[in-house]
Amino acid sequence: MAWKVYDKTGNTVRCTLKGLEYNGTWMGACFVTSTLKSAVPILFEIGDYVMYRGERFEINYDPTALKKAARKTSGEAFVYDNVKFNWPGDELTRCDFLDYVKSDNQIHFTSLPKFSFFASSIQDLADRVQVNLDRIYTGAQKWTVAVHPEYVSTTNVNIDVNNIKVWGALELFNSKFGANFVIRGRTITIGTAGIAVGNIFKYGRGNGLYEIQRTADADQQIITRLRAYGSTRNMPNRYYNKLSNSSLTNYLPNNMAVENLMLPDFPKTTLDPYIDSKNIAVLGIREGSVYFDGTGDLEEICPSMEGMTAEQLKDAGIYVSLDAGDNGNLDEVADAEQLTDDGTMDSLKEGEDVPPFTITLKDVGFNINDYLTSETATISMKNGMCGGRDFEITKCEKKGNKYVLTCNRVYDESLKLYFPYKDYNIKSGDKFVLLYIDMPDVYIQAASQRLLATAKKYLAKNDYVRYSYEPKVDDIFMARQHDEAVARGEASIHDTLKEGDLMLFTDSDLGIEGSIIIDTLIIKEGEDMIPKYTMTLREEKAVGSLEKIQNQIDSIAGGGQGTGGLNTQQIQSIIRSLGNQLFLSRTHNDTAAGLIGFLAGAIFGASGFAEGLTGFGAKIDSMGRGYMESLTLRRFLEVPELRFNRAEIVLGDKWRSPGAGIIESVEPDYDADGNLLRSGTISLKLQDGEIGAVAVDDICMGYFHDYETPGNNAVSDIDDSRGNRMFAGFCTIYFRITEILDAGTNKRFRYVLRGVSDRWQYSFHPCEALHFVAYGNFTNKERQTSAYETRTYRRFLVGVNDWEFTKSMVAMQDGDLSNLNIFGLDMTGYSAYLNNIYMTGTIEQLQIAPVRIEIDTQGDNFLAYGESMEITCKVFKGWEDITDTVRQWAIRRDSGDTADDEAWNIKHKDFNGSITIYNTKEISDLGNNSVTIASTLFTITATNDVASVEAIVTI
């Protein structure tokens, strides 16, 4: 194996390395070294690079050359010993970490190397690292800084920076947030270690390890009994000395003084509270104490408003008064004075004080004035535009169910501004805590519980023996695995192994079962040797060579030791959970997130598959042909040909009409309050190139079983001969098409439901998979013919321009004619009702001129806002004008709002055949409420001594 060294352009080969050594340390340096011997000088330059395992390593210095002979007199005339090629992460040690912020977060910055800032979360620090790297590295050199999505970090941290590099900022992720990080290529991922190495290593031939050494950490302080204390902040003077039992006897003797926050059992249960580890039986009693008072890397735990809710106080027997709809979070500002100055105070005259400002708090369950101390009470903002800033409280007033705090503004020396100001105001909902006051008992008890939980976590990281492991990897095993992976077209362990990755290994003799992060990794390889591996595994992260980074690693638990580690059972669980994302199980139910291909087909059934009509099981072969027992579909079946015993069976109606369709989806309309309206949008299920057979004003009907609300389904069959129909087990849906949205395909259109009436009391929205028929049209005469067939009669319809059928619309009917008596026709039995009869022999033509209404709208059915329209009606019998025979006129409006329409109808009950329709601000005859649709229907009726006739106009 050999590796070429290129100049920074990649066009010139400087030399070829015949051997090299890779060195990597987790959260530390990573580089490649090589010793070269040459007969001529090699003109190395900064930026020369070598590619190793898919990663670029560059020279960033001028290598030293040792001349041992004259030029070209010896192959070893010039020797370059341990030439170092650095990984991209070396750039992080050369990039200053300056006070820059993201351009869109509205936070002040100075661009200086010495600054402090408030981080509400680990993402704030990650953003600053990203911005600093973006200053220098762009394009192909751009770095990406990401926080692992599953990482949950400490929040609200003040960070001081004094002339450090970006690598030093990475150390802050650990020291301030307790987060690990890995660097892969030019991506920094915070809050995680690497992935698990794709093999479980064991001792023995062919298992990956030929030797493993375990060394205990001699400097470790093991703790199995921990005493934990909080800070004294916000603790009332001699709080524990004042506690007494039911007999009013103090728990503490007078000569015992305890000012720190204590564990919950103190002092009622014991005067010496501590926590024992479950490992105490194995390791014995090993005592330790810790103060969570903010010193060192430990957080401060004290009575505080942080996280307190009204519900928690209620559980403690304390009730607070909050505004209606309040979320109950007591550590949030209710309101704050919104300042309008620019923060400079340049307008102040000499001798004038900086004016204070006010912050309004919710009812926090106690009167703040009763808990003031000799120290100045302070409100500390935890987030928002003033997050990380503390403001002294000069006055506290109780107003209603609120507390109004008068506070001094804070001067920021680096920015020369007083906070808050107009661009950086405190706002409602900002989080806060109160400092330097005595907190009530309920807050002290809550803090004591937090102290207990934090102490348990601390003990879990210190109650077991930490080891370092030095496994000797079997080089032949690794070489064989590499060749096999390459042959399969996969990446091998050699090509992907990195420091920071989890190494899975087991050894029953040493009681090792688990995984530990690889701390250091060395790989040596060359032309005449297979790669050799040296690695160190540590349970606690050692100090790195670039920065001192201390880190706790969740790692192995051997021999029952350690509560933070992984045993074999846990590893098996991890393998199951991670493996389930990548592989399908053969032993239990499973789900695939991607497409699965069965190239030869698939067989289903406990007993396999047998072909033929008497066979069993199911099979789908390589050609997609299926053989199975039965098939149940809940939506659509699309086939070129459907064979069913060579017989056609229809249950229900069979229609022939100008329009019909199958609904793919429905989107009903809702008003601003979320109430369901009577209108919506329908999408048709169309094949490629198909055009929907629908038009504006089509009168549509369909039947569908309501799965969600079974009570909507009819319980019996109903056919009143007027078109009001029901089938048992189904609901009948009527709607009118008001607008075509996709003019080219008619796929999408708007609709409005049929209104209720004396003869039809139901109103259901269409639904997915509904088959509907457009059996008429309110305005388009070319779409007013249809025919339908039931099991007892067949009917042909003409002039269908309303929801219901009339006598004039029945052009022909044969079969059972008894339902025609609804129109005054005395017919029974099976026969035929026709307009014209043609017979051989004798032909007799009977002509009945129909009565009709003609409506004059001045040639336009569109009424714009601010306009009016004259409507005049005439009645004809054939071509004879019989308007003067009309003894009664009537007009009804259908705008979609039943109540409003009824009021309009009553107002115009004296209609005499002509009317003026207005669409103005003062009068709107088209409807003026929230459910008014795009068009309005007017039904006009004329009655004389012989007949009654209707006509509809849409405006």
Side-chain angles (χ1 to χ4, degrees), residues 6 11 48 51 60 121 161 190 193 276 317 327 415 509 517 811 824 845 914 947:
Y6 297 90
N11 297 322
D48 291 351
M51 297 298 298
N60 59 12
S121 71
V161 176
I190 312 300
D276 277 349
N327 61 14
L415 301 174
D509 294 332
I517 296 175
Q845 180 177 4
S914 64

PDB file of all heavy atoms in Angstrom, residues 6 11 48 51 60 121 161 190 193 276 317 327 415 509 517 811 824 845 914 947:
ATOM      1  N   TYR A   6       0.036  15.227  -2.317  1.00  0.00           N
ATOM      2  CA  TYR A   6      -0.252  16.215  -3.356  1.00  0.00           C
ATOM      3  C   TYR A   6       0.020  17.617  -2.831  1.00  0.00           C
ATOM      4  O   TYR A   6       0.004  17.877  -1.614  1.00  0.00           O
ATOM      5  CB  TYR A   6      -1.713  16.136  -3.786  1.00  0.00           C
ATOM      6  CG  TYR A   6      -2.105  14.821  -4.419  1.00  0.00           C
ATOM      7  CD1 TYR A   6      -2.590  13.772  -3.638  1.00  0.00           C
ATOM      8  CD2 TYR A   6      -2.017  14.629  -5.795  1.00  0.00           C
ATOM      9  CE1 TYR A   6      -2.964  12.569  -4.204  1.00  0.00           C
ATOM     10  CE2 TYR A   6      -2.386  13.424  -6.372  1.00  0.00           C
ATOM     11  CZ  TYR A   6      -2.858  12.401  -5.582  1.00  0.00           C
ATOM     12  OH  TYR A   6      -3.235  11.214  -6.151  1.00  0.00           O
ATOM     13  N   ASN A  11      -2.893  18.970  -8.057  1.00  0.00           N
ATOM     14  CA  ASN A  11      -2.430  18.718  -9.426  1.00  0.00           C
ATOM     15  C   ASN A  11      -1.023  18.136  -9.482  1.00  0.00           C
ATOM     16  O   ASN A  11      -0.649  17.496 -10.470  1.00  0.00           O
ATOM     17  CB  ASN A  11      -2.474  20.015 -10.250  1.00  0.00           C
ATOM     18  CG  ASN A  11      -3.892  20.549 -10.389  1.00  0.00           C
ATOM     19  OD1 ASN A  11      -4.831  19.775 -10.537  1.00  0.00           O
ATOM     20  ND2 ASN A  11      -4.039  21.870 -10.329  1.00  0.00           N
ATOM     21  N   ASP A  48       0.279  21.029   1.547  1.00  0.00           N
ATOM     22  CA  ASP A  48       0.413  19.706   0.921  1.00  0.00           C
ATOM     23  C   ASP A  48      -0.387  18.696   1.743  1.00  0.00           C
ATOM     24  O   ASP A  48      -0.455  18.792   2.982  1.00  0.00           O
ATOM     25  CB  ASP A  48       1.889  19.289   0.878  1.00  0.00           C
ATOM     26  CG  ASP A  48       2.696  20.141  -0.096  1.00  0.00           C
ATOM     27  OD1 ASP A  48       2.074  20.920  -0.840  1.00  0.00           O
ATOM     28  OD2 ASP A  48       3.928  20.026  -0.092  1.00  0.00           O
ATOM     29  N   MET A  51      -4.407  11.774   1.396  1.00  0.00           N
ATOM     30  CA  MET A  51      -5.723  11.222   1.697  1.00  0.00           C
ATOM     31  C   MET A  51      -5.541   9.859   2.372  1.00  0.00           C
ATOM     32  O   MET A  51      -4.872   8.980   1.837  1.00  0.00           O
ATOM     33  CB  MET A  51      -6.551  11.074   0.433  1.00  0.00           C
ATOM     34  CG  MET A  51      -6.870  12.383  -0.272  1.00  0.00           C
ATOM     35  SD  MET A  51      -7.852  13.524   0.743  1.00  0.00           S
ATOM     36  CE  MET A  51      -9.347  12.555   0.991  1.00  0.00           C
ATOM     37  N   ASN A  60       1.015  21.704   7.924  1.00  0.00           N
ATOM     38  CA  ASN A  60       0.861  23.129   8.251  1.00  0.00           C
ATOM     39  C   ASN A  60       2.149  23.732   8.820  1.00  0.00           C
ATOM     40  O   ASN A  60       2.112  24.702   9.563  1.00  0.00           O
ATOM     41  CB  ASN A  60      -0.303  23.331   9.227  1.00  0.00           C
ATOM     42  CG  ASN A  60      -0.121  22.581  10.526  1.00  0.00           C
ATOM     43  OD1 ASN A  60       0.954  22.083  10.828  1.00  0.00           O
ATOM     44  ND2 ASN A  60      -1.196  22.503  11.310  1.00  0.00           N
ATOM     45  N   SER A 121     -29.128  27.938  26.363  1.00  0.00           N
ATOM     46  CA  SER A 121     -29.016  26.504  26.083  1.00  0.00           C
ATOM     47  C   SER A 121     -27.676  26.257  25.410  1.00  0.00           C
ATOM     48  O   SER A 121     -26.963  27.194  25.025  1.00  0.00           O
ATOM     49  CB  SER A 121     -30.154  26.029  25.172  1.00  0.00           C
ATOM     50  OG  SER A 121     -29.983  26.538  23.860  1.00  0.00           O
ATOM     51  N   VAL A 161     -15.234  34.436  28.578  1.00  0.00           N
ATOM     52  CA  VAL A 161     -14.235  34.061  27.581  1.00  0.00           C
ATOM     53  C   VAL A 161     -13.088  35.055  27.638  1.00  0.00           C
ATOM     54  O   VAL A 161     -13.302  36.272  27.664  1.00  0.00           O
ATOM     55  CB  VAL A 161     -14.862  34.042  26.166  1.00  0.00           C
ATOM     56  CG1 VAL A 161     -13.799  33.756  25.124  1.00  0.00           C
ATOM     57  CG2 VAL A 161     -15.981  33.016  26.091  1.00  0.00           C
ATOM     58  N   ILE A 190     -22.136  17.884  18.797  1.00  0.00           N
ATOM     59  CA  ILE A 190     -22.082  18.100  20.240  1.00  0.00           C
ATOM     60  C   ILE A 190     -23.089  17.179  20.925  1.00  0.00           C
ATOM     61  O   ILE A 190     -24.195  16.983  20.449  1.00  0.00           O
ATOM     62  CB  ILE A 190     -22.407  19.568  20.580  1.00  0.00           C
ATOM     63  CG1 ILE A 190     -21.589  20.518  19.686  1.00  0.00           C
ATOM     64  CG2 ILE A 190     -22.160  19.841  22.052  1.00  0.00           C
ATOM     65  CD1 ILE A 190     -20.116  20.373  19.819  1.00  0.00           C
ATOM     66  N   ALA A 193     -21.090  10.600  21.515  1.00  0.00           N
ATOM     67  CA  ALA A 193     -19.843   9.932  21.140  1.00  0.00           C
ATOM     68  C   ALA A 193     -20.057   9.354  19.757  1.00  0.00           C
ATOM     69  O   ALA A 193     -21.061   9.598  19.103  1.00  0.00           O
ATOM     70  CB  ALA A 193     -19.500   8.845  22.152  1.00  0.00           C
ATOM     71  N   ASP A 276     -26.805   6.052  50.194  1.00  0.00           N
ATOM     72  CA  ASP A 276     -25.952   4.886  50.007  1.00  0.00           C
ATOM     73  C   ASP A 276     -26.094   4.340  48.596  1.00  0.00           C
ATOM     74  O   ASP A 276     -27.206   4.279  48.044  1.00  0.00           O
ATOM     75  CB  ASP A 276     -26.316   3.789  51.011  1.00  0.00           C
ATOM     76  CG  ASP A 276     -25.661   4.007  52.357  1.00  0.00           C
ATOM     77  OD1 ASP A 276     -24.771   4.870  52.443  1.00  0.00           O
ATOM     78  OD2 ASP A 276     -26.057   3.317  53.333  1.00  0.00           O
ATOM     79  N   GLY A 317     -50.833  22.732  49.536  1.00  0.00           N
ATOM     80  CA  GLY A 317     -51.845  23.400  50.358  1.00  0.00           C
ATOM     81  C   GLY A 317     -51.835  24.902  50.244  1.00  0.00           C
ATOM     82  O   GLY A 317     -52.448  25.598  51.060  1.00  0.00           O
ATOM     83  N   ASN A 327     -51.159  30.065  32.353  1.00  0.00           N
ATOM     84  CA  ASN A 327     -50.577  28.721  32.238  1.00  0.00           C
ATOM     85  C   ASN A 327     -50.098  28.154  33.565  1.00  0.00           C
ATOM     86  O   ASN A 327     -49.687  26.994  33.635  1.00  0.00           O
ATOM     87  CB  ASN A 327     -49.431  28.721  31.227  1.00  0.00           C
ATOM     88  CG  ASN A 327     -48.296  29.663  31.620  1.00  0.00           C
ATOM     89  OD1 ASN A 327     -48.210  30.139  32.749  1.00  0.00           O
ATOM     90  ND2 ASN A 327     -47.424  29.946  30.658  1.00  0.00           N
ATOM     91  N   LEU A 415     -20.698  47.360  26.654  1.00  0.00           N
ATOM     92  CA  LEU A 415     -21.560  47.930  25.610  1.00  0.00           C
ATOM     93  C   LEU A 415     -21.880  49.395  25.852  1.00  0.00           C
ATOM     94  O   LEU A 415     -22.423  50.058  24.962  1.00  0.00           O
ATOM     95  CB  LEU A 415     -22.872  47.135  25.531  1.00  0.00           C
ATOM     96  CG  LEU A 415     -22.739  45.640  25.214  1.00  0.00           C
ATOM     97  CD1 LEU A 415     -24.084  44.961  25.321  1.00  0.00           C
ATOM     98  CD2 LEU A 415     -22.148  45.446  23.828  1.00  0.00           C
ATOM     99  N   ASP A 509     -13.862 -14.216  31.575  1.00  0.00           N
ATOM    100  CA  ASP A 509     -12.865 -14.385  32.630  1.00  0.00           C
ATOM    101  C   ASP A 509     -12.646 -13.093  33.399  1.00  0.00           C
ATOM    102  O   ASP A 509     -12.473 -13.110  34.628  1.00  0.00           O
ATOM    103  CB  ASP A 509     -11.538 -14.869  32.028  1.00  0.00           C
ATOM    104  CG  ASP A 509     -11.654 -16.266  31.431  1.00  0.00           C
ATOM    105  OD1 ASP A 509     -12.509 -17.032  31.920  1.00  0.00           O
ATOM    106  OD2 ASP A 509     -10.917 -16.576  30.477  1.00  0.00           O
ATOM    107  N   ILE A 517     -15.890   3.601  25.082  1.00  0.00           N
ATOM    108  CA  ILE A 517     -15.475   4.510  24.010  1.00  0.00           C
ATOM    109  C   ILE A 517     -13.968   4.394  23.787  1.00  0.00           C
ATOM    110  O   ILE A 517     -13.177   4.330  24.723  1.00  0.00           O
ATOM    111  CB  ILE A 517     -15.867   5.956  24.356  1.00  0.00           C
ATOM    112  CG1 ILE A 517     -17.392   6.064  24.431  1.00  0.00           C
ATOM    113  CG2 ILE A 517     -15.314   6.936  23.341  1.00  0.00           C
ATOM    114  CD1 ILE A 517     -17.894   7.399  24.876  1.00  0.00           C
ATOM    115  N   ALA A 811     -90.216  12.143 -18.212  1.00  0.00           N
ATOM    116  CA  ALA A 811     -90.507  11.986 -19.635  1.00  0.00           C
ATOM    117  C   ALA A 811     -91.005  10.592 -19.943  1.00  0.00           C
ATOM    118  O   ALA A 811     -91.819  10.405 -20.861  1.00  0.00           O
ATOM    119  CB  ALA A 811     -89.260  12.288 -20.447  1.00  0.00           C
ATOM    120  N   GLY A 824    -100.372  13.011  -9.003  1.00  0.00           N
ATOM    121  CA  GLY A 824    -101.772  13.083  -9.392  1.00  0.00           C
ATOM    122  C   GLY A 824    -102.142  12.157 -10.522  1.00  0.00           C
ATOM    123  O   GLY A 824    -103.240  12.285 -11.094  1.00  0.00           O
ATOM    124  N   GLN A 845    -100.626  10.595 -32.738  1.00  0.00           N
ATOM    125  CA  GLN A 845     -99.731  11.480 -31.972  1.00  0.00           C
ATOM    126  C   GLN A 845    -100.554  12.387 -31.076  1.00  0.00           C
ATOM    127  O   GLN A 845    -101.462  13.077 -31.542  1.00  0.00           O
ATOM    128  CB  GLN A 845     -98.880  12.344 -32.920  1.00  0.00           C
ATOM    129  CG  GLN A 845     -97.942  13.271 -32.172  1.00  0.00           C
ATOM    130  CD  GLN A 845     -97.057  14.074 -33.124  1.00  0.00           C
ATOM    131  OE1 GLN A 845     -97.218  13.972 -34.347  1.00  0.00           O
ATOM    132  NE2 GLN A 845     -96.160  14.847 -32.585  1.00  0.00           N
ATOM    133  N   SER A 914     -92.476  40.210 -11.007  1.00  0.00           N
ATOM    134  CA  SER A 914     -91.307  41.041 -11.308  1.00  0.00           C
ATOM    135  C   SER A 914     -90.712  41.539  -9.999  1.00  0.00           C
ATOM    136  O   SER A 914     -91.439  41.736  -9.023  1.00  0.00           O
ATOM    137  CB  SER A 914     -91.682  42.225 -12.208  1.00  0.00           C
ATOM    138  OG  SER A 914     -92.592  43.092 -11.543  1.00  0.00           O
ATOM    139  N   ALA A 947    -102.780  24.547 -13.446  1.00  0.00           N
ATOM    140  CA  ALA A 947    -101.487  23.950 -13.095  1.00  0.00           C
ATOM    141  C   ALA A 947    -100.635  24.935 -12.316  1.00  0.00           C
ATOM    142  O   ALA A 947    -100.960  26.120 -12.195  1.00  0.00           O
ATOM    143  CB  ALA A 947    -100.751  23.497 -14.359  1.00  0.00           C
TER     144      ALA A 947
END
